[in-house]
mmCIF file with all atom_site columns, all heavy atoms in Angstrom:
data_model
loop_
_atom_site.group_PDB
_atom_site.id
_atom_site.type_symbol
_atom_site.label_atom_id
_atom_site.label_alt_id
_atom_site.label_comp_id
_atom_site.label_asym_id
_atom_site.label_entity_id
_atom_site.label_seq_id
_atom_site.pdbx_PDB_ins_code
_atom_site.Cartn_x
_atom_site.Cartn_y
_atom_site.Cartn_z
_atom_site.occupancy
_atom_site.B_iso_or_equiv
_atom_site.pdbx_formal_charge
_atom_site.auth_seq_id
_atom_site.auth_comp_id
_atom_site.auth_asym_id
_atom_site.auth_atom_id
_atom_site.pdbx_PDB_model_num
ATOM 1   N N   . ALA W 1 1  ? 19.410 8.214   14.647 1.00 94.00 ? 23 ALA W N   1
ATOM 2   C CA  . ALA W 1 1  ? 19.895 8.903   13.458 1.00 94.00 ? 23 ALA W CA  1
ATOM 3   C C   . ALA W 1 1  ? 18.748 9.415   12.596 1.00 94.00 ? 23 ALA W C   1
ATOM 4   O O   . ALA W 1 1  ? 18.793 10.519  12.049 1.00 94.00 ? 23 ALA W O   1
ATOM 5   C CB  . ALA W 1 1  ? 20.811 7.949   12.660 1.00 94.00 ? 23 ALA W CB  1
ATOM 6   N N   . VAL W 1 2  ? 17.718 8.595   12.441 1.00 96.00 ? 24 VAL W N   1
ATOM 7   C CA  . VAL W 1 2  ? 16.543 9.011   11.641 1.00 96.00 ? 24 VAL W CA  1
ATOM 8   C C   . VAL W 1 2  ? 15.846 10.193  12.309 1.00 96.00 ? 24 VAL W C   1
ATOM 9   O O   . VAL W 1 2  ? 15.469 11.177  11.632 1.00 96.00 ? 24 VAL W O   1
ATOM 10  C CB  . VAL W 1 2  ? 15.534 7.841   11.481 1.00 96.00 ? 24 VAL W CB  1
ATOM 11  C CG1 . VAL W 1 2  ? 14.241 8.356   10.849 1.00 96.00 ? 24 VAL W CG1 1
ATOM 12  C CG2 . VAL W 1 2  ? 16.152 6.762   10.624 1.00 96.00 ? 24 VAL W CG2 1
ATOM 13  N N   . GLU W 1 3  ? 15.712 10.186  13.632 1.00 95.00 ? 25 GLU W N   1
ATOM 14  C CA  . GLU W 1 3  ? 15.079 11.314  14.306 1.00 95.00 ? 25 GLU W CA  1
ATOM 15  C C   . GLU W 1 3  ? 15.878 12.583  14.145 1.00 95.00 ? 25 GLU W C   1
ATOM 16  O O   . GLU W 1 3  ? 15.327 13.643  13.890 1.00 95.00 ? 25 GLU W O   1
ATOM 17  C CB  . GLU W 1 3  ? 14.876 11.011  15.792 1.00 95.00 ? 25 GLU W CB  1
ATOM 18  C CG  . GLU W 1 3  ? 14.236 12.175  16.522 1.00 95.00 ? 25 GLU W CG  1
ATOM 19  C CD  . GLU W 1 3  ? 13.789 11.821  17.940 1.00 95.00 ? 25 GLU W CD  1
ATOM 20  O OE1 . GLU W 1 3  ? 14.143 10.749  18.431 1.00 95.00 ? 25 GLU W OE1 1
ATOM 21  O OE2 . GLU W 1 3  ? 13.146 12.698  18.552 1.00 95.00 ? 25 GLU W OE2 1
ATOM 22  N N   . GLU W 1 4  ? 17.201 12.475  14.299 1.00 95.00 ? 26 GLU W N   1
ATOM 23  C CA  . GLU W 1 4  ? 18.029 13.666  14.121 1.00 95.00 ? 26 GLU W CA  1
ATOM 24  C C   . GLU W 1 4  ? 17.908 14.261  12.735 1.00 95.00 ? 26 GLU W C   1
ATOM 25  O O   . GLU W 1 4  ? 17.756 15.470  12.562 1.00 95.00 ? 26 GLU W O   1
ATOM 26  C CB  . GLU W 1 4  ? 19.501 13.292  14.384 1.00 95.00 ? 26 GLU W CB  1
ATOM 27  C CG  . GLU W 1 4  ? 20.462 14.485  14.277 1.00 95.00 ? 26 GLU W CG  1
ATOM 28  C CD  . GLU W 1 4  ? 21.892 14.086  14.558 1.00 95.00 ? 26 GLU W CD  1
ATOM 29  O OE1 . GLU W 1 4  ? 22.145 12.937  14.947 1.00 95.00 ? 26 GLU W OE1 1
ATOM 30  O OE2 . GLU W 1 4  ? 22.802 14.942  14.354 1.00 95.00 ? 26 GLU W OE2 1
ATOM 31  N N   . ALA W 1 5  ? 17.870 13.376  11.711 1.00 96.00 ? 27 ALA W N   1
ATOM 32  C CA  . ALA W 1 5  ? 17.726 13.855  10.356 1.00 96.00 ? 27 ALA W CA  1
ATOM 33  C C   . ALA W 1 5  ? 16.350 14.442  10.089 1.00 96.00 ? 27 ALA W C   1
ATOM 34  O O   . ALA W 1 5  ? 16.197 15.468  9.401  1.00 96.00 ? 27 ALA W O   1
ATOM 35  C CB  . ALA W 1 5  ? 18.015 12.738  9.361  1.00 96.00 ? 27 ALA W CB  1
ATOM 36  N N   . ALA W 1 6  ? 15.338 13.823  10.688 1.00 96.00 ? 28 ALA W N   1
ATOM 37  C CA  . ALA W 1 6  ? 13.962 14.301  10.494 1.00 96.00 ? 28 ALA W CA  1
ATOM 38  C C   . ALA W 1 6  ? 13.753 15.665  11.148 1.00 96.00 ? 28 ALA W C   1
ATOM 39  O O   . ALA W 1 6  ? 13.092 16.527  10.577 1.00 96.00 ? 28 ALA W O   1
ATOM 40  C CB  . ALA W 1 6  ? 12.961 13.275  11.080 1.00 96.00 ? 28 ALA W CB  1
ATOM 41  N N   . LEU W 1 7  ? 14.340 15.856  12.325 1.00 95.00 ? 29 LEU W N   1
ATOM 42  C CA  . LEU W 1 7  ? 14.181 17.151  13.018 1.00 95.00 ? 29 LEU W CA  1
ATOM 43  C C   . LEU W 1 7  ? 14.876 18.275  12.251 1.00 95.00 ? 29 LEU W C   1
ATOM 44  O O   . LEU W 1 7  ? 14.495 19.439  12.417 1.00 95.00 ? 29 LEU W O   1
ATOM 45  C CB  . LEU W 1 7  ? 14.743 17.035  14.435 1.00 95.00 ? 29 LEU W CB  1
ATOM 46  C CG  . LEU W 1 7  ? 13.999 16.103  15.390 1.00 95.00 ? 29 LEU W CG  1
ATOM 47  C CD1 . LEU W 1 7  ? 14.716 16.014  16.727 1.00 95.00 ? 29 LEU W CD1 1
ATOM 48  C CD2 . LEU W 1 7  ? 12.552 16.608  15.564 1.00 95.00 ? 29 LEU W CD2 1
ATOM 49  N N   . ALA W 1 8  ? 15.872 17.927  11.450 1.00 95.00 ? 30 ALA W N   1
ATOM 50  C CA  . ALA W 1 8  ? 16.577 18.963  10.651 1.00 95.00 ? 30 ALA W CA  1
ATOM 51  C C   . ALA W 1 8  ? 15.909 19.206  9.319  1.00 95.00 ? 30 ALA W C   1
ATOM 52  O O   . ALA W 1 8  ? 16.346 20.084  8.566  1.00 95.00 ? 30 ALA W O   1
ATOM 53  C CB  . ALA W 1 8  ? 18.013 18.538  10.445 1.00 95.00 ? 30 ALA W CB  1
ATOM 54  N N   . SER W 1 9  ? 14.857 18.440  9.011  1.00 95.00 ? 31 SER W N   1
ATOM 55  C CA  . SER W 1 9  ? 14.190 18.567  7.703  1.00 95.00 ? 31 SER W CA  1
ATOM 56  C C   . SER W 1 9  ? 12.846 19.272  7.892  1.00 95.00 ? 31 SER W C   1
ATOM 57  O O   . SER W 1 9  ? 12.086 19.019  8.832  1.00 95.00 ? 31 SER W O   1
ATOM 58  C CB  . SER W 1 9  ? 13.938 17.199  7.085  1.00 95.00 ? 31 SER W CB  1
ATOM 59  O OG  . SER W 1 9  ? 13.161 17.298  5.924  1.00 95.00 ? 31 SER W OG  1
ATOM 60  N N   . PRO W 1 10 ? 12.529 20.216  6.987  1.00 95.00 ? 32 PRO W N   1
ATOM 61  C CA  . PRO W 1 10 ? 11.266 20.999  7.100  1.00 95.00 ? 32 PRO W CA  1
ATOM 62  C C   . PRO W 1 10 ? 10.032 20.209  6.727  1.00 95.00 ? 32 PRO W C   1
ATOM 63  O O   . PRO W 1 10 ? 8.902  20.664  7.023  1.00 95.00 ? 32 PRO W O   1
ATOM 64  C CB  . PRO W 1 10 ? 11.491 22.158  6.158  1.00 95.00 ? 32 PRO W CB  1
ATOM 65  C CG  . PRO W 1 10 ? 12.411 21.595  5.102  1.00 95.00 ? 32 PRO W CG  1
ATOM 66  C CD  . PRO W 1 10 ? 13.343 20.663  5.833  1.00 95.00 ? 32 PRO W CD  1
ATOM 67  N N   . ASP W 1 11 ? 10.167 19.010  6.100  1.00 94.00 ? 33 ASP W N   1
ATOM 68  C CA  . ASP W 1 11 ? 8.981  18.308  5.648  1.00 94.00 ? 33 ASP W CA  1
ATOM 69  C C   . ASP W 1 11 ? 8.600  17.087  6.515  1.00 94.00 ? 33 ASP W C   1
ATOM 70  O O   . ASP W 1 11 ? 7.761  16.311  6.096  1.00 94.00 ? 33 ASP W O   1
ATOM 71  C CB  . ASP W 1 11 ? 9.123  17.867  4.178  1.00 94.00 ? 33 ASP W CB  1
ATOM 72  C CG  . ASP W 1 11 ? 10.406 17.139  3.907  1.00 94.00 ? 33 ASP W CG  1
ATOM 73  O OD1 . ASP W 1 11 ? 11.302 17.124  4.768  1.00 94.00 ? 33 ASP W OD1 1
ATOM 74  O OD2 . ASP W 1 11 ? 10.531 16.536  2.814  1.00 94.00 ? 33 ASP W OD2 1
ATOM 75  N N   . PHE W 1 12 ? 9.205  17.012  7.712  1.00 97.00 ? 34 PHE W N   1
ATOM 76  C CA  . PHE W 1 12 ? 8.866  15.911  8.606  1.00 97.00 ? 34 PHE W CA  1
ATOM 77  C C   . PHE W 1 12 ? 8.528  16.430  10.001 1.00 97.00 ? 34 PHE W C   1
ATOM 78  O O   . PHE W 1 12 ? 9.127  17.423  10.468 1.00 97.00 ? 34 PHE W O   1
ATOM 79  C CB  . PHE W 1 12 ? 10.008 14.880  8.710  1.00 97.00 ? 34 PHE W CB  1
ATOM 80  C CG  . PHE W 1 12 ? 10.218 14.071  7.499  1.00 97.00 ? 34 PHE W CG  1
ATOM 81  C CD1 . PHE W 1 12 ? 11.272 14.327  6.631  1.00 97.00 ? 34 PHE W CD1 1
ATOM 82  C CD2 . PHE W 1 12 ? 9.390  13.019  7.190  1.00 97.00 ? 34 PHE W CD2 1
ATOM 83  C CE1 . PHE W 1 12 ? 11.456 13.591  5.471  1.00 97.00 ? 34 PHE W CE1 1
ATOM 84  C CE2 . PHE W 1 12 ? 9.566  12.260  6.068  1.00 97.00 ? 34 PHE W CE2 1
ATOM 85  C CZ  . PHE W 1 12 ? 10.615 12.542  5.201  1.00 97.00 ? 34 PHE W CZ  1
ATOM 86  N N   . ALA W 1 13 ? 7.651  15.726  10.679 1.00 96.00 ? 35 ALA W N   1
ATOM 87  C CA  . ALA W 1 13 ? 7.360  15.954  12.095 1.00 96.00 ? 35 ALA W CA  1
ATOM 88  C C   . ALA W 1 13 ? 7.326  14.602  12.793 1.00 96.00 ? 35 ALA W C   1
ATOM 89  O O   . ALA W 1 13 ? 6.638  13.697  12.299 1.00 96.00 ? 35 ALA W O   1
ATOM 90  C CB  . ALA W 1 13 ? 6.017  16.660  12.241 1.00 96.00 ? 35 ALA W CB  1
ATOM 91  N N   . VAL W 1 14 ? 8.086  14.466  13.841 1.00 94.00 ? 36 VAL W N   1
ATOM 92  C CA  . VAL W 1 14 ? 8.094  13.207  14.597 1.00 94.00 ? 36 VAL W CA  1
ATOM 93  C C   . VAL W 1 14 ? 6.885  13.184  15.537 1.00 94.00 ? 36 VAL W C   1
ATOM 94  O O   . VAL W 1 14 ? 6.812  13.915  16.506 1.00 94.00 ? 36 VAL W O   1
ATOM 95  C CB  . VAL W 1 14 ? 9.394  13.057  15.417 1.00 94.00 ? 36 VAL W CB  1
ATOM 96  C CG1 . VAL W 1 14 ? 9.374  11.745  16.225 1.00 94.00 ? 36 VAL W CG1 1
ATOM 97  C CG2 . VAL W 1 14 ? 10.596 13.061  14.498 1.00 94.00 ? 36 VAL W CG2 1
ATOM 98  N N   . LYS W 1 15 ? 5.925  12.345  15.161 1.00 93.00 ? 37 LYS W N   1
ATOM 99  C CA  . LYS W 1 15 ? 4.660  12.247  15.915 1.00 93.00 ? 37 LYS W CA  1
ATOM 100 C C   . LYS W 1 15 ? 4.775  11.354  17.155 1.00 93.00 ? 37 LYS W C   1
ATOM 101 O O   . LYS W 1 15 ? 4.096  11.622  18.162 1.00 93.00 ? 37 LYS W O   1
ATOM 102 C CB  . LYS W 1 15 ? 3.587  11.730  14.977 1.00 93.00 ? 37 LYS W CB  1
ATOM 103 C CG  . LYS W 1 15 ? 2.200  11.580  15.571 1.00 93.00 ? 37 LYS W CG  1
ATOM 104 C CD  . LYS W 1 15 ? 1.232  11.015  14.569 1.00 93.00 ? 37 LYS W CD  1
ATOM 105 C CE  . LYS W 1 15 ? -0.158 10.855  15.150 1.00 93.00 ? 37 LYS W CE  1
ATOM 106 N NZ  . LYS W 1 15 ? -1.080 10.264  14.127 1.00 93.00 ? 37 LYS W NZ  1
ATOM 107 N N   . GLY W 1 16 ? 5.562  10.294  17.037 1.00 92.00 ? 38 GLY W N   1
ATOM 108 C CA  . GLY W 1 16 ? 5.667  9.379   18.182 1.00 92.00 ? 38 GLY W CA  1
ATOM 109 C C   . GLY W 1 16 ? 6.973  8.607   18.125 1.00 92.00 ? 38 GLY W C   1
ATOM 110 O O   . GLY W 1 16 ? 7.577  8.424   17.073 1.00 92.00 ? 38 GLY W O   1
ATOM 111 N N   . ARG W 1 17 ? 7.363  8.110   19.295 1.00 91.00 ? 39 ARG W N   1
ATOM 112 C CA  . ARG W 1 17 ? 8.581  7.287   19.445 1.00 91.00 ? 39 ARG W CA  1
ATOM 113 C C   . ARG W 1 17 ? 8.216  6.048   20.228 1.00 91.00 ? 39 ARG W C   1
ATOM 114 O O   . ARG W 1 17 ? 7.629  6.160   21.331 1.00 91.00 ? 39 ARG W O   1
ATOM 115 C CB  . ARG W 1 17 ? 9.689  8.079   20.164 1.00 91.00 ? 39 ARG W CB  1
ATOM 116 C CG  . ARG W 1 17 ? 10.052 9.376   19.489 1.00 91.00 ? 39 ARG W CG  1
ATOM 117 C CD  . ARG W 1 17 ? 10.894 10.228  20.419 1.00 91.00 ? 39 ARG W CD  1
ATOM 118 N NE  . ARG W 1 17 ? 11.254 11.497  19.779 1.00 91.00 ? 39 ARG W NE  1
ATOM 119 C CZ  . ARG W 1 17 ? 10.435 12.548  19.782 1.00 91.00 ? 39 ARG W CZ  1
ATOM 120 N NH1 . ARG W 1 17 ? 9.235  12.492  20.345 1.00 91.00 ? 39 ARG W NH1 1
ATOM 121 N NH2 . ARG W 1 17 ? 10.829 13.691  19.209 1.00 91.00 ? 39 ARG W NH2 1
ATOM 122 N N   . VAL W 1 18 ? 8.555  4.904   19.714 1.00 90.00 ? 40 VAL W N   1
ATOM 123 C CA  . VAL W 1 18 ? 8.230  3.634   20.348 1.00 90.00 ? 40 VAL W CA  1
ATOM 124 C C   . VAL W 1 18 ? 9.509  2.810   20.449 1.00 90.00 ? 40 VAL W C   1
ATOM 125 O O   . VAL W 1 18 ? 10.274 2.724   19.500 1.00 90.00 ? 40 VAL W O   1
ATOM 126 C CB  . VAL W 1 18 ? 7.179  2.850   19.530 1.00 90.00 ? 40 VAL W CB  1
ATOM 127 C CG1 . VAL W 1 18 ? 6.852  1.502   20.207 1.00 90.00 ? 40 VAL W CG1 1
ATOM 128 C CG2 . VAL W 1 18 ? 5.917  3.653   19.306 1.00 90.00 ? 40 VAL W CG2 1
ATOM 129 N N   . ASP W 1 19 ? 9.718  2.236   21.613 1.00 82.00 ? 41 ASP W N   1
ATOM 130 C CA  . ASP W 1 19 ? 10.910 1.408   21.773 1.00 82.00 ? 41 ASP W CA  1
ATOM 131 C C   . ASP W 1 19 ? 10.601 0.304   22.800 1.00 82.00 ? 41 ASP W C   1
ATOM 132 O O   . ASP W 1 19 ? 9.561  0.261   23.409 1.00 82.00 ? 41 ASP W O   1
ATOM 133 C CB  . ASP W 1 19 ? 12.148 2.211   22.183 1.00 82.00 ? 41 ASP W CB  1
ATOM 134 C CG  . ASP W 1 19 ? 13.421 1.551   21.685 1.00 82.00 ? 41 ASP W CG  1
ATOM 135 O OD1 . ASP W 1 19 ? 13.731 1.701   20.475 1.00 82.00 ? 41 ASP W OD1 1
ATOM 136 O OD2 . ASP W 1 19 ? 14.071 0.846   22.481 1.00 82.00 ? 41 ASP W OD2 1
ATOM 137 N N   . ARG W 1 20 ? 11.567 -0.579  23.022 1.00 61.00 ? 42 ARG W N   1
ATOM 138 C CA  . ARG W 1 20 ? 11.341 -1.684  23.912 1.00 61.00 ? 42 ARG W CA  1
ATOM 139 C C   . ARG W 1 20 ? 11.023 -1.206  25.350 1.00 61.00 ? 42 ARG W C   1
ATOM 140 O O   . ARG W 1 20 ? 10.301 -1.893  26.069 1.00 61.00 ? 42 ARG W O   1
ATOM 141 C CB  . ARG W 1 20 ? 12.579 -2.571  23.973 1.00 61.00 ? 42 ARG W CB  1
ATOM 142 C CG  . ARG W 1 20 ? 12.782 -3.362  22.676 1.00 61.00 ? 42 ARG W CG  1
ATOM 143 C CD  . ARG W 1 20 ? 13.987 -4.252  22.805 1.00 61.00 ? 42 ARG W CD  1
ATOM 144 N NE  . ARG W 1 20 ? 14.147 -5.035  21.569 1.00 61.00 ? 42 ARG W NE  1
ATOM 145 C CZ  . ARG W 1 20 ? 13.581 -6.212  21.370 1.00 61.00 ? 42 ARG W CZ  1
ATOM 146 N NH1 . ARG W 1 20 ? 12.803 -6.724  22.283 1.00 61.00 ? 42 ARG W NH1 1
ATOM 147 N NH2 . ARG W 1 20 ? 13.775 -6.860  20.246 1.00 61.00 ? 42 ARG W NH2 1
ATOM 148 N N   . ALA W 1 21 ? 11.505 -0.084  25.744 1.00 42.00 ? 43 ALA W N   1
ATOM 149 C CA  . ALA W 1 21 ? 11.205 0.418   27.072 1.00 42.00 ? 43 ALA W CA  1
ATOM 150 C C   . ALA W 1 21 ? 9.746  0.739   27.262 1.00 42.00 ? 43 ALA W C   1
ATOM 151 O O   . ALA W 1 21 ? 9.240  0.882   28.382 1.00 42.00 ? 43 ALA W O   1
ATOM 152 C CB  . ALA W 1 21 ? 12.040 1.663   27.369 1.00 42.00 ? 43 ALA W CB  1
ATOM 153 N N   . ASP W 1 22 ? 8.978  0.821   26.150 1.00 45.00 ? 44 ASP W N   1
ATOM 154 C CA  . ASP W 1 22 ? 7.578  1.178   26.205 1.00 45.00 ? 44 ASP W CA  1
ATOM 155 C C   . ASP W 1 22 ? 6.652  -0.053  26.261 1.00 45.00 ? 44 ASP W C   1
ATOM 156 O O   . ASP W 1 22 ? 5.455  0.083   26.088 1.00 45.00 ? 44 ASP W O   1
ATOM 157 C CB  . ASP W 1 22 ? 7.191  2.014   24.982 1.00 45.00 ? 44 ASP W CB  1
ATOM 158 C CG  . ASP W 1 22 ? 7.936  3.322   24.960 1.00 45.00 ? 44 ASP W CG  1
ATOM 159 O OD1 . ASP W 1 22 ? 8.171  3.893   26.024 1.00 45.00 ? 44 ASP W OD1 1
ATOM 160 O OD2 . ASP W 1 22 ? 8.299  3.709   23.859 1.00 45.00 ? 44 ASP W OD2 1
ATOM 161 N N   . ARG W 1 23 ? 7.204  -1.216  26.454 1.00 50.00 ? 45 ARG W N   1
ATOM 162 C CA  . ARG W 1 23 ? 6.387  -2.428  26.445 1.00 50.00 ? 45 ARG W CA  1
ATOM 163 C C   . ARG W 1 23 ? 5.278  -2.422  27.478 1.00 50.00 ? 45 ARG W C   1
ATOM 164 O O   . ARG W 1 23 ? 5.452  -1.938  28.600 1.00 50.00 ? 45 ARG W O   1
ATOM 165 C CB  . ARG W 1 23 ? 7.271  -3.677  26.667 1.00 50.00 ? 45 ARG W CB  1
ATOM 166 C CG  . ARG W 1 23 ? 8.063  -4.076  25.453 1.00 50.00 ? 45 ARG W CG  1
ATOM 167 C CD  . ARG W 1 23 ? 8.807  -5.353  25.702 1.00 50.00 ? 45 ARG W CD  1
ATOM 168 N NE  . ARG W 1 23 ? 9.425  -5.817  24.460 1.00 50.00 ? 45 ARG W NE  1
ATOM 169 C CZ  . ARG W 1 23 ? 10.246 -6.872  24.373 1.00 50.00 ? 45 ARG W CZ  1
ATOM 170 N NH1 . ARG W 1 23 ? 10.529 -7.533  25.485 1.00 50.00 ? 45 ARG W NH1 1
ATOM 171 N NH2 . ARG W 1 23 ? 10.740 -7.246  23.245 1.00 50.00 ? 45 ARG W NH2 1
ATOM 172 N N   . HIS W 1 24 ? 4.162  -2.942  27.031 1.00 46.00 ? 46 HIS W N   1
ATOM 173 C CA  . HIS W 1 24 ? 3.020  -3.086  27.936 1.00 46.00 ? 46 HIS W CA  1
ATOM 174 C C   . HIS W 1 24 ? 2.995  -4.527  28.423 1.00 46.00 ? 46 HIS W C   1
ATOM 175 O O   . HIS W 1 24 ? 3.081  -5.469  27.594 1.00 46.00 ? 46 HIS W O   1
ATOM 176 C CB  . HIS W 1 24 ? 1.701  -2.778  27.187 1.00 46.00 ? 46 HIS W CB  1
ATOM 177 C CG  . HIS W 1 24 ? 0.505  -2.705  28.077 1.00 46.00 ? 46 HIS W CG  1
ATOM 178 N ND1 . HIS W 1 24 ? -0.095 -3.822  28.583 1.00 46.00 ? 46 HIS W ND1 1
ATOM 179 C CD2 . HIS W 1 24 ? -0.202 -1.612  28.514 1.00 46.00 ? 46 HIS W CD2 1
ATOM 180 C CE1 . HIS W 1 24 ? -1.129 -3.462  29.324 1.00 46.00 ? 46 HIS W CE1 1
ATOM 181 N NE2 . HIS W 1 24 ? -1.199 -2.144  29.293 1.00 46.00 ? 46 HIS W NE2 1
ATOM 182 N N   . PRO W 1 25 ? 2.874  -4.767  29.725 1.00 43.00 ? 47 PRO W N   1
ATOM 183 C CA  . PRO W 1 25 ? 2.971  -6.119  30.248 1.00 43.00 ? 47 PRO W CA  1
ATOM 184 C C   . PRO W 1 25 ? 1.974  -7.102  29.631 1.00 43.00 ? 47 PRO W C   1
ATOM 185 O O   . PRO W 1 25 ? 2.259  -8.303  29.516 1.00 43.00 ? 47 PRO W O   1
ATOM 186 C CB  . PRO W 1 25 ? 2.702  -5.965  31.754 1.00 43.00 ? 47 PRO W CB  1
ATOM 187 C CG  . PRO W 1 25 ? 3.032  -4.538  32.038 1.00 43.00 ? 47 PRO W CG  1
ATOM 188 C CD  . PRO W 1 25 ? 2.676  -3.790  30.786 1.00 43.00 ? 47 PRO W CD  1
ATOM 189 N N   . ALA W 1 26 ? 0.788  -6.630  29.220 1.00 45.00 ? 48 ALA W N   1
ATOM 190 C CA  . ALA W 1 26 ? -0.219 -7.501  28.706 1.00 45.00 ? 48 ALA W CA  1
ATOM 191 C C   . ALA W 1 26 ? -0.086 -7.799  27.205 1.00 45.00 ? 48 ALA W C   1
ATOM 192 O O   . ALA W 1 26 ? -0.760 -8.642  26.653 1.00 45.00 ? 48 ALA W O   1
ATOM 193 C CB  . ALA W 1 26 ? -1.598 -6.928  28.967 1.00 45.00 ? 48 ALA W CB  1
ATOM 194 N N   . ASP W 1 27 ? 0.816  -7.042  26.561 1.00 51.00 ? 49 ASP W N   1
ATOM 195 C CA  . ASP W 1 27 ? 0.948  -7.178  25.094 1.00 51.00 ? 49 ASP W CA  1
ATOM 196 C C   . ASP W 1 27 ? 1.913  -8.301  24.777 1.00 51.00 ? 49 ASP W C   1
ATOM 197 O O   . ASP W 1 27 ? 2.887  -8.527  25.474 1.00 51.00 ? 49 ASP W O   1
ATOM 198 C CB  . ASP W 1 27 ? 1.439  -5.835  24.512 1.00 51.00 ? 49 ASP W CB  1
ATOM 199 C CG  . ASP W 1 27 ? 1.469  -5.887  23.000 1.00 51.00 ? 49 ASP W CG  1
ATOM 200 O OD1 . ASP W 1 27 ? 0.440  -6.259  22.407 1.00 51.00 ? 49 ASP W OD1 1
ATOM 201 O OD2 . ASP W 1 27 ? 2.496  -5.547  22.440 1.00 51.00 ? 49 ASP W OD2 1
ATOM 202 N N   . ARG W 1 28 ? 1.693  -8.969  23.624 1.00 49.00 ? 50 ARG W N   1
ATOM 203 C CA  . ARG W 1 28 ? 2.535  -10.111 23.288 1.00 49.00 ? 50 ARG W CA  1
ATOM 204 C C   . ARG W 1 28 ? 3.984  -9.709  22.996 1.00 49.00 ? 50 ARG W C   1
ATOM 205 O O   . ARG W 1 28 ? 4.887  -10.489 23.151 1.00 49.00 ? 50 ARG W O   1
ATOM 206 C CB  . ARG W 1 28 ? 1.957  -10.844 22.077 1.00 49.00 ? 50 ARG W CB  1
ATOM 207 C CG  . ARG W 1 28 ? 1.917  -10.042 20.827 1.00 49.00 ? 50 ARG W CG  1
ATOM 208 C CD  . ARG W 1 28 ? 1.284  -10.861 19.675 1.00 49.00 ? 50 ARG W CD  1
ATOM 209 N NE  . ARG W 1 28 ? 1.019  -10.094 18.478 1.00 49.00 ? 50 ARG W NE  1
ATOM 210 C CZ  . ARG W 1 28 ? 1.932  -9.889  17.526 1.00 49.00 ? 50 ARG W CZ  1
ATOM 211 N NH1 . ARG W 1 28 ? 3.146  -10.348 17.653 1.00 49.00 ? 50 ARG W NH1 1
ATOM 212 N NH2 . ARG W 1 28 ? 1.578  -9.194  16.449 1.00 49.00 ? 50 ARG W NH2 1
ATOM 213 N N   . GLY W 1 29 ? 4.203  -8.490  22.531 1.00 52.00 ? 51 GLY W N   1
ATOM 214 C CA  . GLY W 1 29 ? 5.562  -8.064  22.294 1.00 52.00 ? 51 GLY W CA  1
ATOM 215 C C   . GLY W 1 29 ? 5.815  -6.662  22.804 1.00 52.00 ? 51 GLY W C   1
ATOM 216 O O   . GLY W 1 29 ? 6.943  -6.195  22.772 1.00 52.00 ? 51 GLY W O   1
ATOM 217 N N   . GLY W 1 30 ? 4.783  -5.985  23.240 1.00 55.00 ? 52 GLY W N   1
ATOM 218 C CA  . GLY W 1 30 ? 4.935  -4.655  23.754 1.00 55.00 ? 52 GLY W CA  1
ATOM 219 C C   . GLY W 1 30 ? 4.856  -3.590  22.685 1.00 55.00 ? 52 GLY W C   1
ATOM 220 O O   . GLY W 1 30 ? 4.831  -2.409  23.007 1.00 55.00 ? 52 GLY W O   1
ATOM 221 N N   . TRP W 1 31 ? 4.845  -4.001  21.424 1.00 56.00 ? 53 TRP W N   1
ATOM 222 C CA  . TRP W 1 31 ? 4.870  -3.020  20.359 1.00 56.00 ? 53 TRP W CA  1
ATOM 223 C C   . TRP W 1 31 ? 3.477  -2.552  19.976 1.00 56.00 ? 53 TRP W C   1
ATOM 224 O O   . TRP W 1 31 ? 3.244  -1.388  19.774 1.00 56.00 ? 53 TRP W O   1
ATOM 225 C CB  . TRP W 1 31 ? 5.566  -3.610  19.135 1.00 56.00 ? 53 TRP W CB  1
ATOM 226 C CG  . TRP W 1 31 ? 6.964  -4.043  19.383 1.00 56.00 ? 53 TRP W CG  1
ATOM 227 C CD1 . TRP W 1 31 ? 7.370  -5.265  19.787 1.00 56.00 ? 53 TRP W CD1 1
ATOM 228 C CD2 . TRP W 1 31 ? 8.138  -3.236  19.314 1.00 56.00 ? 53 TRP W CD2 1
ATOM 229 N NE1 . TRP W 1 31 ? 8.724  -5.264  19.955 1.00 56.00 ? 53 TRP W NE1 1
ATOM 230 C CE2 . TRP W 1 31 ? 9.220  -4.038  19.663 1.00 56.00 ? 53 TRP W CE2 1
ATOM 231 C CE3 . TRP W 1 31 ? 8.371  -1.908  18.958 1.00 56.00 ? 53 TRP W CE3 1
ATOM 232 C CZ2 . TRP W 1 31 ? 10.551 -3.567  19.674 1.00 56.00 ? 53 TRP W CZ2 1
ATOM 233 C CZ3 . TRP W 1 31 ? 9.673  -1.433  18.980 1.00 56.00 ? 53 TRP W CZ3 1
ATOM 234 C CH2 . TRP W 1 31 ? 10.731 -2.262  19.327 1.00 56.00 ? 53 TRP W CH2 1
#
């Protein structure tokens, strides 16, 4: 919902998206 609203706004640019699917095996939480 935040991304959809940001994409419709002229003063925001979504630079990156991070979620659980992006976990790194060596990281303690993947974040």
Side-chain angles (χ1 to χ4, degrees):
V24 171
E25 179 170 9
E26 182 180 352
L29 293 176
S31 174
D33 51 348
F34 289 103
V36 178
K37 180 181 179 181
R39 303 167 182 82
V40 180
D41 209 79
R42 289 182 178 273
D44 297 324
R45 282 185 172 174
H46 189 285
D49 185 51
R50 63 182 171 85
W53 299 91

